[in-house]
Amino acid sequence: MSLIGSEVKPFSASAFHNGEFIDLTDANLRGKWSVVCFYPADFTFVCPTELEDLQNQYETLKALDVEVYSVSTDTHFTHKAWHETSETIGKIEYVMIGDPSHVISRNFEVLNEQDGLADRGTFIIDPDGVIQTVEINAGGIGRDASTLVNKIKAAQYVRNNPGEVCPAKWEEGSATLTPSLDLVGKI
């Protein structure tokens, strides 16, 4: 079953953010665009490269009114320790959510039950808390955060322009499509 078009399921969790522990719920994923990025575990190998890449896009994402949340099945305490001991992770300014209960990972259908770890899942969520994109990668395949920017711009465009859609490789300012009978078979 696809999560596209479904609302984020209820959760509550503790997180590490800007040197503090904070509490979050699914309500935090409403009211603005969100990117939720699941990764297997702290103190690993591919994960810090992805999280640093996400940090490198963070200012651009914030300018698009997007908040970023990373999630692993580690605790918020582990996130703090990793943030304090890794030069790479120490750069992170976005929220790092702990999911030791696996509730969030199960809600987003990224939990590898056998390992007790989250798969590499990226979700773009609109201000109504509805999932607009889902990307799941195998454990050994890192993600490129720069691809999120165009996906978010496209999702925002479609939301703000009902009846129009964005074709492959769409970039802001490019032509869109308006599906109709006249367009069938012409592309």
Side-chain angles (χ1 to χ4, degrees):
M1 178 171 75
S2 174
L3 293 176
I4 300 290
S6 66
E7 285 191 43
V8 173
K9 294 178 183 174
F11 71 85
S12 62
S14 296
F16 179 73
H17 186 231
N18 291 332
E20 297 181 359
F21 293 134
I22 61 171
D23 294 322
L24 296 170
T25 69
D26 54 293
N28 292 93
L29 303 182
R30 297 180 193 281
K32 68 185 318 181
W33 289 85
S34 301
V35 168
V36 179
C37 180
F38 289 87
Y39 64 96
D42 293 3
F43 296 99
T44 56
F45 314 102
V46 175
C47 299
T49 67
E50 292 185 306
L51 297 180
E52 179 182 39
D53 187 43
L54 193 54
Q55 176 61 40
N56 292 341
Q57 296 296 325
Y58 189 49
E59 287 302 317
T60 302
L61 293 168
K62 285 193 323 186
L64 293 170
D65 198 31
V66 176
E67 190 50 69
V68 174
Y69 302 89
S70 65
V71 185
S72 78
T73 56
D74 297 292
T75 67
H76 56 297
F77 299 111
T78 307
H79 293 334
K80 179 183 185 296
W82 197 24
H83 196 274
E84 290 177 350
T85 58
S86 167
E87 183 178 328
T88 300
I89 299 305
K91 299 173 189 174
I92 292 176
E93 299 171 349
Y94 52 81
V95 177
M96 299 179 77
I97 301 174
D99 185 29
S101 67
H102 301 167
V103 169
I104 306 168
S105 299
R106 280 191 184 103
N107 284 355
F108 282 85
E109 299 180 9
V110 295
L111 183 66
N112 178 323
E113 295 282 350
Q114 183 177 352
D115 297 336
L117 301 174
D119 288 329
R120 296 187 193 288
T122 309
F123 299 81
I124 297 173
I125 301 164
D126 73 19
D128 297 322
V130 176
I131 298 169
Q132 295 298 318
T133 72
V134 175
E135 178 184 2
I136 310 291
N137 287 17
I141 303 170
R143 294 161 282 186
D144 179 351
S146 68
T147 63
L148 286 171
V149 174
N150 274 351
K151 287 179 187 179
I152 289 166
K153 286 179 179 180
Q156 290 175 341
Y157 185 91
V158 168
R159 179 182 172 94
N160 294 329
N161 296 278
E164 293 184 48
V165 296
C166 297
K169 296 188 179 186
W170 179 86
E171 292 182 7
E172 189 173 32
S174 326
T176 59
L177 301 171
T178 303
S180 69
L181 278 177
D182 296 336
L183 198 58
V184 173
K186 305 252 191 300
I187 298 176

